[in-house]
Amino acid sequence: MIYVAGQRLHAHQLRGATFGTRWRGYHPAQVDALLDRAADELDRLRRELTTATTEAERIRQALRQWQSRHTGCREHPTSPNSRWQQ
């Protein structure tokens, strides 16, 4: 498995990763278990990112709608106690 800088890593790449074996190498089952956990975490984080991105876009659109509805609503208070006196 070769990771190329700048390319996104996907969960399926972790799950499908294979490594050569050596006489004094890592325990394959432990490596596989860690890769599975990392892949699950990557999937979870991608789902959260998608949800957050969708929510941010919804909020941006709601703000734009609110701003367009309230563009001409700026009143200048005439109360002597107003902080926004002219």
Short mmCIF file of all heavy atoms in Angstrom, two decimals, residues 13-75:
data_model
loop_
_atom_site.label_atom_id
_atom_site.label_comp_id
_atom_site.label_asym_id
_atom_site.label_seq_id
_atom_site.Cartn_x
_atom_site.Cartn_y
_atom_site.Cartn_z
N GLN A 13 -9.62 1.86 1.35
CA GLN A 13 -8.19 1.65 1.15
C GLN A 13 -7.55 1.07 2.40
O GLN A 13 -6.66 0.22 2.31
CB GLN A 13 -7.51 2.97 0.78
CG GLN A 13 -7.90 3.48 -0.59
CD GLN A 13 -7.42 4.89 -0.83
OE1 GLN A 13 -7.58 5.76 0.03
NE2 GLN A 13 -6.84 5.12 -2.00
N LEU A 14 -8.00 1.53 3.57
CA LEU A 14 -7.48 0.96 4.82
C LEU A 14 -7.92 -0.49 4.98
O LEU A 14 -7.12 -1.35 5.37
CB LEU A 14 -7.98 1.77 6.03
CG LEU A 14 -7.35 3.14 6.22
CD1 LEU A 14 -8.02 3.87 7.36
CD2 LEU A 14 -5.86 3.00 6.48
N ARG A 15 -9.19 -0.74 4.67
CA ARG A 15 -9.71 -2.11 4.84
C ARG A 15 -9.06 -3.10 3.87
O ARG A 15 -8.91 -4.26 4.17
CB ARG A 15 -11.22 -2.11 4.68
CG ARG A 15 -11.93 -1.47 5.84
CD ARG A 15 -13.43 -1.68 5.80
NE ARG A 15 -14.03 -1.06 6.94
CZ ARG A 15 -14.61 0.14 6.94
NH1 ARG A 15 -14.67 0.84 5.83
NH2 ARG A 15 -15.13 0.63 8.04
N GLY A 16 -8.67 -2.60 2.71
CA GLY A 16 -8.08 -3.48 1.71
C GLY A 16 -6.56 -3.49 1.71
O GLY A 16 -5.92 -4.12 0.86
N ALA A 17 -5.96 -2.81 2.68
CA ALA A 17 -4.50 -2.71 2.72
C ALA A 17 -3.86 -4.06 2.99
O ALA A 17 -4.34 -4.85 3.79
CB ALA A 17 -4.08 -1.71 3.80
N THR A 18 -2.80 -4.32 2.29
CA THR A 18 -2.01 -5.53 2.52
C THR A 18 -0.56 -5.13 2.70
O THR A 18 -0.10 -4.13 2.13
CB THR A 18 -2.13 -6.52 1.34
OG1 THR A 18 -1.71 -5.85 0.15
CG2 THR A 18 -3.56 -7.02 1.17
N PHE A 19 0.13 -5.89 3.49
CA PHE A 19 1.53 -5.61 3.77
C PHE A 19 2.33 -6.89 3.56
O PHE A 19 1.84 -7.99 3.80
CB PHE A 19 1.70 -5.14 5.22
CG PHE A 19 0.92 -3.90 5.53
CD1 PHE A 19 -0.36 -3.97 6.04
CD2 PHE A 19 1.48 -2.65 5.31
CE1 PHE A 19 -1.09 -2.82 6.32
CE2 PHE A 19 0.76 -1.49 5.58
CZ PHE A 19 -0.52 -1.58 6.09
N GLY A 20 3.56 -6.71 3.14
CA GLY A 20 4.44 -7.86 3.03
C GLY A 20 4.80 -8.37 4.42
O GLY A 20 4.74 -7.65 5.41
N THR A 21 5.13 -9.66 4.51
CA THR A 21 5.49 -10.22 5.80
C THR A 21 6.99 -10.44 5.88
O THR A 21 7.67 -10.66 4.87
CB THR A 21 4.76 -11.57 6.02
OG1 THR A 21 5.07 -12.43 4.94
CG2 THR A 21 3.25 -11.37 6.08
N ARG A 22 7.46 -10.36 7.10
CA ARG A 22 8.87 -10.61 7.39
C ARG A 22 8.94 -11.49 8.61
O ARG A 22 8.00 -11.60 9.38
CB ARG A 22 9.61 -9.30 7.65
CG ARG A 22 9.72 -8.45 6.40
CD ARG A 22 10.64 -7.33 6.67
NE ARG A 22 11.02 -6.75 5.38
CZ ARG A 22 11.83 -5.77 5.26
NH1 ARG A 22 12.37 -5.22 6.32
NH2 ARG A 22 12.13 -5.29 4.08
N TRP A 23 10.08 -12.02 8.82
CA TRP A 23 10.25 -12.94 9.94
C TRP A 23 9.97 -12.27 11.27
O TRP A 23 9.30 -12.82 12.12
CB TRP A 23 11.68 -13.51 9.91
CG TRP A 23 11.93 -14.46 11.02
CD1 TRP A 23 11.35 -15.66 11.21
CD2 TRP A 23 12.83 -14.28 12.10
NE1 TRP A 23 11.81 -16.26 12.34
CE2 TRP A 23 12.74 -15.43 12.91
CE3 TRP A 23 13.71 -13.27 12.46
CZ2 TRP A 23 13.50 -15.59 14.06
CZ3 TRP A 23 14.46 -13.42 13.60
CH2 TRP A 23 14.35 -14.58 14.39
N ARG A 24 10.42 -11.06 11.49
CA ARG A 24 10.21 -10.37 12.76
C ARG A 24 9.30 -9.16 12.57
O ARG A 24 9.54 -8.10 13.12
CB ARG A 24 11.55 -9.94 13.34
CG ARG A 24 12.45 -11.13 13.60
CD ARG A 24 13.55 -10.73 14.46
NE ARG A 24 13.07 -10.95 15.83
CZ ARG A 24 13.79 -10.83 16.90
NH1 ARG A 24 15.04 -10.44 16.80
NH2 ARG A 24 13.31 -11.06 18.07
N GLY A 25 8.24 -9.31 11.81
CA GLY A 25 7.33 -8.20 11.51
C GLY A 25 6.25 -8.05 12.57
O GLY A 25 6.28 -8.65 13.63
N TYR A 26 5.28 -7.21 12.24
CA TYR A 26 4.15 -6.97 13.13
C TYR A 26 3.20 -8.15 13.09
O TYR A 26 3.15 -8.91 12.13
CB TYR A 26 3.40 -5.71 12.70
CG TYR A 26 4.20 -4.45 12.91
CD1 TYR A 26 4.73 -3.76 11.83
CD2 TYR A 26 4.42 -3.95 14.18
CE1 TYR A 26 5.46 -2.60 12.01
CE2 TYR A 26 5.15 -2.79 14.38
CZ TYR A 26 5.66 -2.13 13.29
OH TYR A 26 6.39 -0.99 13.48
N HIS A 27 2.38 -8.25 14.13
CA HIS A 27 1.36 -9.30 14.21
C HIS A 27 0.23 -8.92 13.25
O HIS A 27 -0.45 -7.91 13.46
CB HIS A 27 0.84 -9.40 15.64
CG HIS A 27 0.01 -10.60 15.88
ND1 HIS A 27 -1.31 -10.66 15.47
CD2 HIS A 27 0.28 -11.77 16.49
CE1 HIS A 27 -1.80 -11.81 15.82
NE2 HIS A 27 -0.86 -12.51 16.45
N PRO A 28 -0.01 -9.70 12.20
CA PRO A 28 -0.99 -9.33 11.17
C PRO A 28 -2.39 -9.07 11.71
O PRO A 28 -3.07 -8.13 11.26
CB PRO A 28 -0.99 -10.52 10.21
CG PRO A 28 0.33 -11.17 10.41
CD PRO A 28 0.68 -10.93 11.85
N ALA A 29 -2.85 -9.85 12.67
CA ALA A 29 -4.20 -9.65 13.20
C ALA A 29 -4.32 -8.31 13.92
O ALA A 29 -5.35 -7.64 13.85
CB ALA A 29 -4.57 -10.80 14.14
N GLN A 30 -3.26 -7.90 14.61
CA GLN A 30 -3.28 -6.62 15.30
C GLN A 30 -3.28 -5.46 14.30
O GLN A 30 -3.99 -4.47 14.49
CB GLN A 30 -2.09 -6.50 16.25
CG GLN A 30 -2.18 -7.43 17.44
CD GLN A 30 -0.93 -7.37 18.31
OE1 GLN A 30 0.11 -6.84 17.89
NE2 GLN A 30 -1.03 -7.93 19.50
N VAL A 31 -2.50 -5.59 13.26
CA VAL A 31 -2.46 -4.56 12.23
C VAL A 31 -3.83 -4.46 11.56
O VAL A 31 -4.37 -3.36 11.38
CB VAL A 31 -1.37 -4.86 11.18
CG1 VAL A 31 -1.47 -3.89 10.00
CG2 VAL A 31 0.01 -4.80 11.81
N ASP A 32 -4.43 -5.60 11.23
CA ASP A 32 -5.75 -5.60 10.60
C ASP A 32 -6.80 -4.97 11.51
O ASP A 32 -7.65 -4.20 11.05
CB ASP A 32 -6.18 -7.02 10.23
CG ASP A 32 -5.35 -7.59 9.08
OD1 ASP A 32 -4.71 -6.81 8.36
OD2 ASP A 32 -5.36 -8.83 8.92
N ALA A 33 -6.74 -5.28 12.80
CA ALA A 33 -7.71 -4.73 13.74
C ALA A 33 -7.58 -3.20 13.83
O ALA A 33 -8.58 -2.47 13.84
CB ALA A 33 -7.54 -5.36 15.12
N LEU A 34 -6.35 -2.72 13.87
CA LEU A 34 -6.14 -1.28 13.94
C LEU A 34 -6.59 -0.60 12.64
O LEU A 34 -7.22 0.47 12.68
CB LEU A 34 -4.68 -0.95 14.22
CG LEU A 34 -4.36 0.54 14.34
CD1 LEU A 34 -5.15 1.18 15.48
CD2 LEU A 34 -2.88 0.75 14.54
N LEU A 35 -6.31 -1.19 11.52
CA LEU A 35 -6.75 -0.62 10.24
C LEU A 35 -8.27 -0.57 10.17
O LEU A 35 -8.85 0.39 9.66
CB LEU A 35 -6.17 -1.42 9.07
CG LEU A 35 -4.68 -1.24 8.82
CD1 LEU A 35 -4.20 -2.19 7.74
CD2 LEU A 35 -4.36 0.19 8.44
N ASP A 36 -8.94 -1.61 10.66
CA ASP A 36 -10.41 -1.61 10.68
C ASP A 36 -10.94 -0.48 11.56
O ASP A 36 -11.89 0.21 11.18
CB ASP A 36 -10.95 -2.96 11.17
CG ASP A 36 -10.84 -4.05 10.13
OD1 ASP A 36 -10.70 -3.72 8.92
OD2 ASP A 36 -10.90 -5.24 10.52
N ARG A 37 -10.34 -0.29 12.73
CA ARG A 37 -10.77 0.80 13.62
C ARG A 37 -10.53 2.15 12.97
O ARG A 37 -11.38 3.04 13.03
CB ARG A 37 -10.01 0.74 14.95
CG ARG A 37 -10.50 -0.35 15.87
CD ARG A 37 -9.76 -0.37 17.19
NE ARG A 37 -9.79 0.93 17.84
CZ ARG A 37 -8.90 1.34 18.74
NH1 ARG A 37 -7.91 0.55 19.10
NH2 ARG A 37 -9.00 2.52 19.30
N ALA A 38 -9.39 2.31 12.33
CA ALA A 38 -9.07 3.57 11.65
C ALA A 38 -10.06 3.82 10.51
O ALA A 38 -10.52 4.96 10.31
CB ALA A 38 -7.63 3.56 11.14
N ALA A 39 -10.40 2.79 9.77
CA ALA A 39 -11.35 2.92 8.66
C ALA A 39 -12.73 3.30 9.18
O ALA A 39 -13.40 4.17 8.60
CB ALA A 39 -11.42 1.62 7.86
N ASP A 40 -13.17 2.70 10.28
CA ASP A 40 -14.46 3.04 10.87
C ASP A 40 -14.48 4.50 11.32
O ASP A 40 -15.46 5.21 11.13
CB ASP A 40 -14.78 2.12 12.06
CG ASP A 40 -15.06 0.69 11.64
OD1 ASP A 40 -15.32 0.44 10.45
OD2 ASP A 40 -15.02 -0.20 12.52
N GLU A 41 -13.39 4.93 11.94
CA GLU A 41 -13.28 6.31 12.40
C GLU A 41 -13.29 7.28 11.22
O GLU A 41 -13.92 8.33 11.26
CB GLU A 41 -12.02 6.49 13.24
CG GLU A 41 -11.83 7.88 13.79
CD GLU A 41 -12.83 8.26 14.88
OE1 GLU A 41 -13.63 7.40 15.30
OE2 GLU A 41 -12.82 9.42 15.30
N LEU A 42 -12.61 6.92 10.15
CA LEU A 42 -12.58 7.76 8.96
C LEU A 42 -13.98 7.89 8.36
O LEU A 42 -14.41 8.98 8.00
CB LEU A 42 -11.60 7.18 7.93
CG LEU A 42 -11.31 8.00 6.70
CD1 LEU A 42 -10.76 9.37 7.04
CD2 LEU A 42 -10.34 7.26 5.79
N ASP A 43 -14.71 6.77 8.30
CA ASP A 43 -16.09 6.82 7.82
C ASP A 43 -16.95 7.73 8.70
O ASP A 43 -17.72 8.54 8.19
CB ASP A 43 -16.70 5.41 7.81
CG ASP A 43 -16.32 4.60 6.58
OD1 ASP A 43 -15.93 5.21 5.56
OD2 ASP A 43 -16.43 3.37 6.66
N ARG A 44 -16.81 7.61 10.02
CA ARG A 44 -17.60 8.42 10.95
C ARG A 44 -17.29 9.90 10.76
O ARG A 44 -18.20 10.73 10.70
CB ARG A 44 -17.31 8.01 12.39
CG ARG A 44 -18.16 8.75 13.43
CD ARG A 44 -17.73 8.43 14.85
NE ARG A 44 -16.40 8.95 15.15
CZ ARG A 44 -16.14 10.23 15.44
NH1 ARG A 44 -17.09 11.13 15.46
NH2 ARG A 44 -14.90 10.62 15.73
N LEU A 45 -16.01 10.23 10.64
CA LEU A 45 -15.63 11.63 10.48
C LEU A 45 -16.12 12.20 9.15
O LEU A 45 -16.53 13.36 9.08
CB LEU A 45 -14.11 11.78 10.59
CG LEU A 45 -13.55 11.52 11.99
CD1 LEU A 45 -12.03 11.48 11.96
CD2 LEU A 45 -14.03 12.57 12.97
N ARG A 46 -16.11 11.41 8.11
CA ARG A 46 -16.62 11.88 6.82
C ARG A 46 -18.13 12.15 6.90
O ARG A 46 -18.62 13.12 6.34
CB ARG A 46 -16.33 10.86 5.73
CG ARG A 46 -14.87 10.68 5.46
CD ARG A 46 -14.48 11.23 4.13
NE ARG A 46 -13.03 11.27 4.11
CZ ARG A 46 -12.29 10.83 3.13
NH1 ARG A 46 -12.85 10.35 2.07
NH2 ARG A 46 -10.99 10.91 3.20
N ARG A 47 -18.85 11.26 7.61
CA ARG A 47 -20.29 11.49 7.78
C ARG A 47 -20.54 12.78 8.56
O ARG A 47 -21.41 13.57 8.20
CB ARG A 47 -20.95 10.31 8.50
CG ARG A 47 -21.16 9.08 7.62
CD ARG A 47 -22.05 8.05 8.28
NE ARG A 47 -21.58 7.64 9.59
CZ ARG A 47 -20.70 6.66 9.83
NH1 ARG A 47 -20.21 5.96 8.82
NH2 ARG A 47 -20.35 6.36 11.05
N GLU A 48 -19.78 12.99 9.64
CA GLU A 48 -19.93 14.21 10.43
C GLU A 48 -19.59 15.45 9.60
O GLU A 48 -20.27 16.48 9.72
CB GLU A 48 -19.05 14.16 11.68
CG GLU A 48 -19.58 13.25 12.75
CD GLU A 48 -18.74 13.29 14.02
OE1 GLU A 48 -17.89 14.21 14.17
OE2 GLU A 48 -18.92 12.41 14.86
N LEU A 49 -18.56 15.37 8.79
CA LEU A 49 -18.19 16.50 7.94
C LEU A 49 -19.30 16.82 6.95
O LEU A 49 -19.64 17.98 6.73
CB LEU A 49 -16.89 16.20 7.19
CG LEU A 49 -16.41 17.27 6.21
CD1 LEU A 49 -16.17 18.60 6.93
CD2 LEU A 49 -15.16 16.81 5.50
N THR A 50 -19.89 15.79 6.35
CA THR A 50 -20.99 16.00 5.41
C THR A 50 -22.17 16.65 6.11
O THR A 50 -22.77 17.60 5.58
CB THR A 50 -21.41 14.65 4.78
OG1 THR A 50 -20.29 14.10 4.08
CG2 THR A 50 -22.57 14.82 3.83
N THR A 51 -22.50 16.17 7.31
CA THR A 51 -23.60 16.75 8.07
C THR A 51 -23.31 18.21 8.42
O THR A 51 -24.18 19.07 8.26
CB THR A 51 -23.84 15.94 9.36
OG1 THR A 51 -24.16 14.60 9.01
CG2 THR A 51 -24.96 16.53 10.19
N ALA A 52 -22.11 18.50 8.87
CA ALA A 52 -21.75 19.87 9.25
C ALA A 52 -21.75 20.80 8.03
O ALA A 52 -22.21 21.94 8.12
CB ALA A 52 -20.37 19.88 9.92
N THR A 53 -21.27 20.31 6.91
CA THR A 53 -21.25 21.12 5.69
C THR A 53 -22.67 21.43 5.23
O THR A 53 -22.98 22.56 4.85
CB THR A 53 -20.48 20.38 4.58
OG1 THR A 53 -19.15 20.12 5.05
CG2 THR A 53 -20.42 21.19 3.29
N THR A 54 -23.54 20.43 5.28
CA THR A 54 -24.94 20.62 4.90
C THR A 54 -25.61 21.63 5.82
O THR A 54 -26.33 22.53 5.37
CB THR A 54 -25.69 19.28 4.94
OG1 THR A 54 -25.04 18.37 4.04
CG2 THR A 54 -27.14 19.44 4.55
N GLU A 55 -25.38 21.51 7.12
CA GLU A 55 -25.97 22.42 8.09
C GLU A 55 -25.44 23.84 7.90
O GLU A 55 -26.20 24.81 7.96
CB GLU A 55 -25.68 21.94 9.51
CG GLU A 55 -26.26 22.81 10.60
CD GLU A 55 -27.78 22.83 10.65
OE1 GLU A 55 -28.43 22.07 9.92
OE2 GLU A 55 -28.32 23.61 11.46
N ALA A 56 -24.16 23.99 7.64
CA ALA A 56 -23.59 25.32 7.40
C ALA A 56 -24.21 25.97 6.17
O ALA A 56 -24.52 27.18 6.18
CB ALA A 56 -22.07 25.22 7.25
N GLU A 57 -24.42 25.20 5.14
CA GLU A 57 -25.04 25.74 3.93
C GLU A 57 -26.49 26.14 4.20
O GLU A 57 -26.95 27.19 3.73
CB GLU A 57 -24.97 24.73 2.78
CG GLU A 57 -25.55 25.24 1.47
CD GLU A 57 -24.91 26.54 0.97
OE1 GLU A 57 -23.71 26.77 1.21
OE2 GLU A 57 -25.62 27.34 0.34
N ARG A 58 -27.21 25.35 4.97
CA ARG A 58 -28.59 25.68 5.33
C ARG A 58 -28.63 26.99 6.10
O ARG A 58 -29.46 27.86 5.84
CB ARG A 58 -29.21 24.55 6.16
CG ARG A 58 -30.69 24.76 6.45
CD ARG A 58 -31.20 23.80 7.51
NE ARG A 58 -30.63 24.03 8.83
CZ ARG A 58 -30.97 25.04 9.64
NH1 ARG A 58 -31.86 25.93 9.26
NH2 ARG A 58 -30.40 25.17 10.82
N ILE A 59 -27.70 27.17 7.03
CA ILE A 59 -27.64 28.39 7.83
C ILE A 59 -27.28 29.59 6.95
O ILE A 59 -27.86 30.67 7.09
CB ILE A 59 -26.66 28.22 9.00
CG1 ILE A 59 -27.23 27.23 10.01
CG2 ILE A 59 -26.35 29.56 9.65
CD1 ILE A 59 -26.25 26.78 11.07
N ARG A 60 -26.33 29.42 6.02
CA ARG A 60 -25.97 30.51 5.10
C ARG A 60 -27.17 30.96 4.28
O ARG A 60 -27.43 32.15 4.12
CB ARG A 60 -24.85 30.07 4.16
CG ARG A 60 -23.46 30.28 4.72
CD ARG A 60 -22.39 30.13 3.64
NE ARG A 60 -22.25 28.77 3.16
CZ ARG A 60 -21.53 27.83 3.76
NH1 ARG A 60 -20.87 28.10 4.86
NH2 ARG A 60 -21.45 26.62 3.27
N GLN A 61 -27.94 29.98 3.78
CA GLN A 61 -29.11 30.32 2.98
C GLN A 61 -30.16 31.02 3.83
O GLN A 61 -30.78 32.00 3.38
CB GLN A 61 -29.69 29.06 2.33
CG GLN A 61 -28.82 28.52 1.22
CD GLN A 61 -29.38 27.23 0.64
OE1 GLN A 61 -30.43 26.74 1.05
NE2 GLN A 61 -28.67 26.67 -0.33
N ALA A 62 -30.38 30.55 5.05
CA ALA A 62 -31.35 31.19 5.94
C ALA A 62 -30.92 32.63 6.26
O ALA A 62 -31.74 33.54 6.30
CB ALA A 62 -31.50 30.38 7.23
N LEU A 63 -29.63 32.85 6.47
CA LEU A 63 -29.13 34.19 6.74
C LEU A 63 -29.34 35.10 5.53
O LEU A 63 -29.77 36.25 5.68
CB LEU A 63 -27.65 34.15 7.12
CG LEU A 63 -26.97 35.49 7.35
CD1 LEU A 63 -27.65 36.26 8.49
CD2 LEU A 63 -25.49 35.30 7.64
N ARG A 64 -29.05 34.59 4.35
CA ARG A 64 -29.26 35.40 3.14
C ARG A 64 -30.74 35.78 2.99
O ARG A 64 -31.06 36.92 2.64
CB ARG A 64 -28.80 34.63 1.90
CG ARG A 64 -27.32 34.63 1.72
CD ARG A 64 -26.93 34.02 0.37
NE ARG A 64 -25.60 33.44 0.51
CZ ARG A 64 -25.32 32.15 0.47
NH1 ARG A 64 -26.27 31.27 0.25
NH2 ARG A 64 -24.09 31.72 0.62
N GLN A 65 -31.63 34.82 3.25
CA GLN A 65 -33.07 35.11 3.16
C GLN A 65 -33.47 36.16 4.19
O GLN A 65 -34.21 37.09 3.89
CB GLN A 65 -33.88 33.83 3.36
CG GLN A 65 -33.78 32.86 2.22
CD GLN A 65 -34.47 31.54 2.53
OE1 GLN A 65 -34.99 31.34 3.62
NE2 GLN A 65 -34.47 30.64 1.56
N TRP A 66 -32.97 36.02 5.39
CA TRP A 66 -33.29 36.98 6.46
C TRP A 66 -32.77 38.36 6.08
O TRP A 66 -33.47 39.36 6.24
CB TRP A 66 -32.67 36.51 7.78
CG TRP A 66 -33.03 37.41 8.92
CD1 TRP A 66 -34.12 37.31 9.73
CD2 TRP A 66 -32.29 38.54 9.37
NE1 TRP A 66 -34.10 38.32 10.66
CE2 TRP A 66 -32.99 39.10 10.46
CE3 TRP A 66 -31.10 39.15 8.96
CZ2 TRP A 66 -32.54 40.22 11.14
CZ3 TRP A 66 -30.66 40.27 9.63
CH2 TRP A 66 -31.37 40.80 10.70
N GLN A 67 -31.54 38.42 5.58
CA GLN A 67 -30.97 39.71 5.19
C GLN A 67 -31.77 40.37 4.07
O GLN A 67 -32.00 41.57 4.09
CB GLN A 67 -29.51 39.53 4.76
CG GLN A 67 -28.57 39.26 5.90
CD GLN A 67 -27.17 38.90 5.43
OE1 GLN A 67 -27.00 38.32 4.36
NE2 GLN A 67 -26.17 39.23 6.24
N SER A 68 -32.20 39.58 3.09
CA SER A 68 -32.95 40.17 1.99
C SER A 68 -34.33 40.64 2.45
O SER A 68 -34.83 41.65 1.96
CB SER A 68 -33.08 39.18 0.83
OG SER A 68 -33.85 38.07 1.21
N ARG A 69 -34.93 39.96 3.42
CA ARG A 69 -36.23 40.39 3.95
C ARG A 69 -36.10 41.65 4.79
O ARG A 69 -37.02 42.43 4.92
CB ARG A 69 -36.86 39.29 4.79
CG ARG A 69 -37.48 38.17 3.98
CD ARG A 69 -38.39 37.30 4.82
NE ARG A 69 -37.80 36.89 6.08
CZ ARG A 69 -37.17 35.73 6.30
NH1 ARG A 69 -37.06 34.86 5.33
NH2 ARG A 69 -36.69 35.45 7.49
N HIS A 70 -34.95 41.86 5.42
CA HIS A 70 -34.78 42.96 6.36
C HIS A 70 -33.86 44.07 5.84
O HIS A 70 -33.38 44.89 6.61
CB HIS A 70 -34.26 42.42 7.70
CG HIS A 70 -35.25 41.56 8.39
ND1 HIS A 70 -35.38 40.22 8.11
CD2 HIS A 70 -36.19 41.85 9.32
CE1 HIS A 70 -36.33 39.71 8.85
NE2 HIS A 70 -36.85 40.67 9.60
N THR A 71 -33.65 44.13 4.57
CA THR A 71 -32.74 45.12 4.00
C THR A 71 -33.22 46.54 4.28
O THR A 71 -32.45 47.39 4.69
CB THR A 71 -32.59 44.92 2.48
OG1 THR A 71 -32.11 43.61 2.25
CG2 THR A 71 -31.63 45.93 1.87
N GLY A 72 -34.50 46.80 4.09
CA GLY A 72 -35.03 48.15 4.27
C GLY A 72 -35.61 48.39 5.65
O GLY A 72 -36.28 49.39 5.86
N CYS A 73 -35.36 47.54 6.60
CA CYS A 73 -35.99 47.64 7.91
C CYS A 73 -35.18 48.43 8.93
O CYS A 73 -35.51 48.43 10.10
CB CYS A 73 -36.26 46.25 8.47
SG CYS A 73 -37.47 45.33 7.54
N ARG A 74 -34.16 49.09 8.53
CA ARG A 74 -33.34 49.83 9.49
C ARG A 74 -34.05 51.12 9.88
O ARG A 74 -34.14 52.05 9.09
CB ARG A 74 -31.96 50.13 8.92
CG ARG A 74 -31.15 48.90 8.75
CD ARG A 74 -29.74 49.25 8.48
NE ARG A 74 -28.96 48.02 8.45
CZ ARG A 74 -27.72 47.97 8.09
NH1 ARG A 74 -27.08 49.05 7.75
NH2 ARG A 74 -27.09 46.82 8.08
N GLU A 75 -34.52 51.15 11.09
CA GLU A 75 -35.18 52.34 11.60
C GLU A 75 -34.19 53.08 12.47
O GLU A 75 -33.35 52.48 13.13
CB GLU A 75 -36.41 51.97 12.40
CG GLU A 75 -37.48 51.30 11.57
CD GLU A 75 -38.71 50.96 12.41
OE1 GLU A 75 -38.88 51.56 13.48
OE2 GLU A 75 -39.47 50.10 11.98
#
